Amino acid sequence: MSEIELFLADEAQTLALGTQLARLTAGHGLLFLQGDLGAGKTTLSRGIIQGLGHQGAVKSPTFTLVEPYVVGDLQLWHFDLYRLADPEELEFLGIRDYLADDDLCIIEWPQKGQGVLPEPDLHISIYTHQQGRRVVLTPYSTRAKNWCAAVAQ
Ligand code: ADP
Ligand code: MG
């Protein structure tokens, strides 16, 4: 199973993909979300985080770089690296600790951390297409290949 491509017609479908990824990942793994401003990265993150059971809002961590969530036994981390000036800053942020326990890390703008971030389980690209979004899921790990196989069904 290599990359798969989906068309999401509206926000509800983006959130539904998030719900599906929540179930498949079960709150573990490293996800990269790439796409222009307004592509829907935070919307998809919201679908995942709320899909794992978070009841409150999911706001964009643009200024804080990272927003933590605790959901039951799960620790989730939502990063937005848009404002990261240098990938080296991730070392000061303690990125290795965030990634160490296989907690779910969702990273918007991963290209800002290139060279410091490891290869993800799953890379997600989002593009505006007509009134909706085109999404390309590229799995790197064995488990992410299984997630993609499930999404493709
Ligand atoms: P980003 O985090 O990539 O900057 P946001 O998720 O904050 O983007 O905003 C994306 C915008 O696109 C929101 O207004 C959302 O309602 C809308 N959106 C999300 N998914 C879709 C979709 N599949 N089709 C159309 N609009 C969408
Ligand atoms: Mg965002």
Side-chain angles (χ1 to χ4, degrees):
M1 160 62 52
S2 53
E3 65 178 39
I4 64 169
E5 199 174 319
L6 305 167
F7 178 70
L8 307 174
D10 54 24
E11 183 184 285
Q13 290 194 359
T14 301
L15 292 169
L17 175 62
T19 307
Q20 202 175 12
L21 289 172
R23 187 169 45 75
L24 290 166
T25 62
H28 299 283
L30 178 60
L31 310 186
F32 286 1
L33 268 56
Q34 197 159 341
D36 290 339
L37 281 174
K41 302 179 295 299
T42 299
T43 305
L44 183 59
S45 302
R46 180 180 304 128
I48 297 169
I49 292 163
Q50 292 181 340
L52 286 165
H54 174 68
Q55 304 274 342
V58 172
K59 52 182 194 281
S60 180
T62 306
F63 294 97
T64 52
L65 287 180
V66 59
E67 192 68 37
Y69 296 88
V70 176
V71 185
D73 293 338
L74 298 172
Q75 173 72 65
L76 319 174
W77 307 99
H78 180 200
F79 289 83
D80 183 337
L81 304 184
Y82 186 67
R83 290 180 177 275
L84 197 73
D86 188 307
E88 295 293 312
E89 281 180 41
L90 285 173
E91 309 273 15
F92 296 111
L93 210 68
I95 189 73
R96 286 169 206 287
D97 298 331
Y98 287 106
L99 300 174
D101 294 331
D102 197 34
D103 297 333
L104 184 70
C105 280
I106 304 170
I107 306 191
E108 299 186 35
W109 296 96
Q111 60 271 45
K112 299 272 187 176
Q114 206 167 22
V116 173
L117 290 176
E119 181 174 88
D121 286 287
L122 183 64
H123 185 283
I124 303 176
S125 292
I126 312 178
Y127 309 90
T128 56
H129 184 73
Q130 296 163 355
Q131 308 301 320
R133 302 292 186 268
R134 195 166 65 82
V135 176
V136 178
L137 305 181
T138 308
Y140 290 90
S141 64
T142 303
R143 62 180 171 182
K145 287 174 187 166
N146 292 331
W147 305 339
C148 287
V151 169
Q153 276 180 358

